[in-house]
């Protein structure tokens, strides 16, 4: 069949690949972890296998999907342009670098910011096998975009990336200072973003500063309500946190959060 498209769920190389009709309706998906193609409409089976062939590796099983949950049905009905799951870390910065007309200095700063968001995003995406889900570049009208929204056993976390640029990073109650640069009001911003996310998802959301490539990080003792994570230790820090959400809760929240209408 002509017009079938393959779209990833989450970061490329992880999770599922969905096969959609031209109107956005999903007719099948390929689960990379189980090497199984689940076909929703058997009359599309041959076309589905053909369009997925470049992505397959090793023996693949094909058949109808398991009985879907309510969350599965909502996810499959989501139009591609309303789905935030395929967003890459720093998606908007990529667009600015490719299509923008910024000067050399601004482009250098954008590349540093993009590299930091990508590294933080990769560290969070790596938690997926442990039951975590991550969204990147989540729109919050009036506030811009959340760099990363992390959902997992220990709760929901709103992450603001701070590029350390191999310098000292001082995180205070109101400001973050990187080296000798002008202080940034990141703690206040991420608090507001977490509060907005909590209202949208009807769940507690923890604000987080994700500090990347800092020579050292100093956190003020007054900074109690905002967590500070660094990519090398993020997995261990989150694994040590007490579990507050069941896997079904995580999946239901992820299904809600990935829909752009939830935030608009």
């Amino acid at each position: 069949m002509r017009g079938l498209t393959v779209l990833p769920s989450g970061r490329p190389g992880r999770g599922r690949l969905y096969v959609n009709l031209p109107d956005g309706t999903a007719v099948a998906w390929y689960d990379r972890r189980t090497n199984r193609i689940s076909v929703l409409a058997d009359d599309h089976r041959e076309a589905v296998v053909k369009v997925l062939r470049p992505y397959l590796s090793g023996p693949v099983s094909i058949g109808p999907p398991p009985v879907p949950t309510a969350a599965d049905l909502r996810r499959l009905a989501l139009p591609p342009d309303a789905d935030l799951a395929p967003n890459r870390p720093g998606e908007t910065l990529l667009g600015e670098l490719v299509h923008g007309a910024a000067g050399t200095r601004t482009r250098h700063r954008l590349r540093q910011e993009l590299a930091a968001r990508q590294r933080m995003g990769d560290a969070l995406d790596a938690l997926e096998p442990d039951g975590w889900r991550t969204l990147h570049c989540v729109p919050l009208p009036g506030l811009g975009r959340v760099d990363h929204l992390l959902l997992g056993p220990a709760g929901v976390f709103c992450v603001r990336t701070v590029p350390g640029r191999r310098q000292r990073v001082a995180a205070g109650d109101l400001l973050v200072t990187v080296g000798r640069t002008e202080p940034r009001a990141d703690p206040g911003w991420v608090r507001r973003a977490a509060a907005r996310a909590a209202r949208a998802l009807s769940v507690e959301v923890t604000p987080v500063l994700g500090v990347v490539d800092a020579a050292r990080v100093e956190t003020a003792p007054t900074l109690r309500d905002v967590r500070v994570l660094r990519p090398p230790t993020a997995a261990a820090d989150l694994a040590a946190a007490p579990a507050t959400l069941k896997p079904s809760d995580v999946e239901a929240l992820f299904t809600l959060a990935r829909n752009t209408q939830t935030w608009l």
Side-chain angles (χ1 to χ4, degrees):
M1 170 177 288
R2 289 178 175 269
L4 289 183
T5 57
V6 178
L7 292 175
S9 170
R11 292 293 307 281
R14 296 189 176 99
R16 293 175 174 179
L17 293 175
Y18 284 89
V19 180
N20 296 338
L21 295 172
D23 64 359
T25 303
V27 293
W29 68 80
Y30 169 48
D31 192 319
R32 295 175 185 270
R33 288 173 293 185
T34 61
N35 237 19
R36 175 180 173 80
I37 300 174
S38 295
V39 181
L40 296 170
D42 201 57
D43 53 329
H44 296 307
R45 176 188 288 247
E46 291 185 10
V48 164
V49 174
K50 183 177 180 179
V51 76
L52 281 174
R53 187 164 289 124
Y55 306 95
L56 305 179
S57 60
V60 177
S61 60
I62 305 174
V67 176
T69 64
D72 290 329
L73 293 173
R74 287 194 297 270
R75 181 177 63 248
L76 293 172
L78 193 63
D81 59 353
D83 190 359
L84 297 172
N87 282 3
R88 298 164 292 180
E91 188 81 38
T92 54
L93 295 181
L94 284 166
E96 289 183 47
L97 284 168
V98 173
H99 303 293
T104 302
R105 182 174 297 181
T106 301
R107 291 181 68 84
H108 178 68
R109 180 184 59 78
L110 288 175
R111 280 193 287 266
Q112 285 185 325
E113 186 80 30
L114 175 60
R117 292 189 195 181
Q118 288 175 332
R119 186 171 178 198
M120 194 72 220
D122 288 343
L124 300 179
D125 284 334
L127 299 172
E128 186 175 342
D130 298 321
W132 294 82
R133 308 299 296 271
T134 310
L135 293 168
H136 309 287
C137 291
V138 177
L140 291 181
L143 282 178
R145 287 180 179 263
V146 173
D147 294 341
H148 319 283
L149 188 72
L150 180 67
L151 309 95
V156 181
F157 299 84
C158 177
V159 183
R160 174 80 157 180
T161 305
V162 179
R165 302 186 181 93
R166 301 181 183 176
Q167 301 179 66
R168 165 184 168 271
V169 173
D173 192 47
L174 299 176
L175 299 171
V176 170
T177 304
V178 179
R180 297 182 179 181
T181 61
E182 191 73 19
R184 302 161 43 127
D186 290 329
W189 187 94
V190 78
R191 286 188 185 100
R192 293 192 299 274
R196 181 81 66 81
R199 290 194 295 272
L201 300 176
S202 299
V203 68
E204 182 178 355
V205 178
T206 301
V208 174
L209 296 175
V211 181
V212 179
D213 291 331
R216 69 179 189 274
V217 179
E218 299 174 2
T219 304
T222 54
L223 189 65
R224 300 187 182 95
D225 60 328
V226 178
R227 294 193 64 165
V228 177
L229 293 178
R230 304 178 70 179
T233 59
D237 291 345
L238 292 169
T244 60
L245 295 177
K246 297 179 293 185
S248 58
D249 296 330
V250 173
E251 189 61 32
L253 284 168
F254 180 73
T255 300
L256 178 64
R258 70 189 296 173
N259 190 336
T260 56
Q261 293 304 311
T262 298
W263 308 103
L264 303 178

